[in-house]
Amino acid sequence: MVNKFKTVCLTAAIASSSATFAGGLLTNTNQHVAFNRMMSREASIGIDGVYYNPAGVVFMGEGSHLAINWQMAYQTRTIKNDYKLFTNNVNNPTTPRDFKGKAFAPVIPSFQYAYNKGRWSLQGNFALTGGGGKCTFDNGLGSFEKIVGETAMGAIGLARAIDNKLGAEMFTSDQAFGKKGSYSFNSYMHGRQYYFGLSAGAAYKVNDNFSVYAGLRGIYATCNYYGYVEDIKVGNMPLYQVLDPSKENSANIELSCDQSGIGFTPMLAVDYKTGRWNFSAKYEFKTRMRLKNKSVNQLPSIGNLDDNLKNQMNKVLTAKFMQAGLPQEQAMIKAEQTSTKVLEDPTVVATTAGLKQQFDSKINKAIGEYADGKKIAGDIPSLLTVGVGYSPIDELRINVGFHWFDDYNATSYNNRNKLLKKRGTLEFNAGVEYDVTKKITVSTGWQNTNYGLTDKYMDDKSFVVGSNSVGLGGVYHITKKLDFSVAYFHTFYNHVKTSETVTLAPGVSNTYNSDYTRNNNAFAAGVNITF
């Protein structure tokens, strides 16, 4: 009863706090203002090519080229759930319910540098290759509350079994767990994730039309997850009273985990120019990433659950027998005998044992990823990009591009990546930029992202949905060697709907529907300098 309740609270608190960021890690491809304003940069030749088209950078003029970029992004994540048991939440008895998380990244910096000399181009790039912000769920998640509601029903089931053997109301009374399965709690989840990437490489111009590139990116990941579940009640019974009545925080759960790790990404690229056309391709190998935990977590202790239940029963029964006229000593003896008989009843023993077994398995699942000193898998998938650019006139440039992320083979915790479709993530983009005057360039672009999602992969603790993004912006050419760019892009996310049938009791089930979506806005500004 109590064991299961605490277990699911911990599971939900840890998972929802973290997986919002760690689970389903995505590569961050908006590493220059030019992407925000045009989306399709794979076949462009410019300083942003240090990331998008490194082989093409060698076709820029000789000398040093530097880009300094700043971005700000704001995202909300919304999951609508219509679980029936949400009506048992005494603080918010409504269904369906929207659960929202907010992520804000006020400063996302990136820097690109290239030194071109003769047939060679030496390049470096610093950017956030993943993460880059914080996300907060002030009131938890639907998956959390769903299990809490189910557990509250399980709690009153066990309470009923005990009271039936007693032949009187004790744990099913309105002062204890009650009969309705009502529940209440306070929770908070917060996560932060930064994947800093520093790359170095060189491009070589084989001839006037063809170039090649090889490079290596080093990635340092640093993450922090914090969350808690406290003031837990089933009915009117605070859980600490059956765990350790002397400590009001004995049922509280707190997660505090820092993660860090290092990975390396080899990269290869080619570019081919002919007339007004340009073709490019880049391949980034999978980044093997193992994150090491440094954690200080607080977990409830359930070792004394049986004794605490028995102590409570003894107190209540002793008072009852004394009221019936027994002397205190005889009342205590009879209370002890009655409690022992009830708690040793095969039905009660089997129910309690089952709940304890669930606790052990779920506690391992819940904190396994965040155990102190443990290393967990968090690979960044390999990436293939292809681009084609065409300039019908000198002032106009048109690009199309394609990305393929091999998410299926990027190992994540408990191999959750294997729940995705094998084809991985596909992205298509197109963009156009036009020189209005010698001083002003305007541009716009579009990108479609299509993940290889399955119903089993969708989870409100860590989810993605397909989208269409549009961007626009401009460049002011201050001098021949100094450009200033601004951009804005917005992502229109799809809605992914799932349905799950939950068995509440033998012969009793409920269909649980979820609707997942997001909203995203990003602003960017930067300068390109040639010297």
Side-chain angles (χ1 to χ4, degrees), residues 45-46 49-60 113-124 199-207 210-216 267-272 281-282:
I45 294 177
V50 171
Y51 174 73
Y52 299 102
N53 180 22
V57 175
V58 73
F59 292 112
M60 297 177 67
Y113 174 78
Y115 175 72
N116 289 4
K117 183 67 174 180
R119 292 184 174 274
W120 288 93
S121 175
L122 304 180
Q123 304 172 23
S199 66
Y204 179 71
K205 188 189 301 181
V206 179
N207 55 46
F210 182 68
S211 62
V212 295
Y213 167 89
L216 181 69
M267 300 172 290
L268 300 173
V270 296
D271 186 274
Y272 179 72
K282 181 183 69 166

Side-chain angles (χ1 to χ4, degrees), residues 54-87:
V57 175
V58 73
F59 292 112
M60 297 177 67
E62 289 198 352
S64 295
H65 307 271
L66 174 66
I68 304 172
N69 307 278
W70 162 86
Q71 295 185 56
M72 177 179 67
Y74 176 76
Q75 184 179 104
T76 60
R77 308 179 185 194
T78 304
I79 311 100
K80 177 176 286 189
N81 296 332
D82 67 355
Y83 196 49
K84 181 179 179 180
L85 294 184
F86 288 169
T87 57

Side-chain angles (χ1 to χ4, degrees), residues 127-247:
L128 289 171
T129 59
K134 304 175 182 179
C135 189
T136 300
F137 286 86
D138 290 323
N139 299 305
L141 290 165
S143 60
F144 182 179
E145 188 166 341
K146 168 180 172 289
I147 305 176
V148 171
E150 293 173 1
T151 303
M153 295 300 291
I156 64 172
L158 181 56
R160 188 181 299 113
I162 293 175
D163 287 1
N164 284 342
K165 297 300 178 181
L166 278 173
E169 286 189 359
M170 181 178 294
F171 292 110
T172 58
S173 69
D174 291 339
Q175 290 72 38
F177 293 113
K179 304 181 181 68
K180 299 178 180 179
S182 60
Y183 57 87
S184 64
F185 59 93
N186 292 319
S187 68
Y188 174 84
M189 295 90 181
H190 172 86
R192 170 185 54 79
Q193 182 188 67
Y194 293 100
Y195 276 56
F196 297 100
L198 178 63
S199 66
Y204 179 71
K205 188 189 301 181
V206 179
N207 55 46
D208 291 341
N209 302 96
F210 182 68
S211 62
V212 295
Y213 167 89
L216 181 69
R217 179 187 299 123
I219 297 176
Y220 173 69
T222 175
C223 314
N224 171 264
Y225 308 116
Y226 176 76
Y228 61 78
V229 181
E230 59 187 16
D231 301 329
I232 305 168
K233 289 184 179 181
V234 175
N236 288 308
M237 173 72 82
L239 285 183
Y240 79 87
Q241 292 184 5
V242 292
L243 297 181
D244 186 346
S246 66
K247 298 179 181 179

Side-chain angles (χ1 to χ4, degrees), residues 415-460:
N415 287 314
R416 185 166 178 255
N417 51 293
K418 296 302 181 182
L419 298 178
L420 293 164
K421 294 179 181 178
K422 291 185 177 181
R423 69 166 174 81
T425 298
L426 307 178
E427 285 187 332
F428 302 88
N429 59 49
V432 58
E433 63 179 356
Y434 179 70
D435 299 328
V436 179
T437 68
K438 291 183 178 180
K439 287 287 187 179
I440 298 175
T441 297
V442 295
S443 60
T444 186
W446 157 86
Q447 179 168 278
N448 172 267
T449 301
N450 189 337
Y451 300 101
L453 300 175
T454 64
D455 286 347
K456 290 183 178 181
Y457 183 84
M458 296 302 294
D459 185 332
D460 62 0

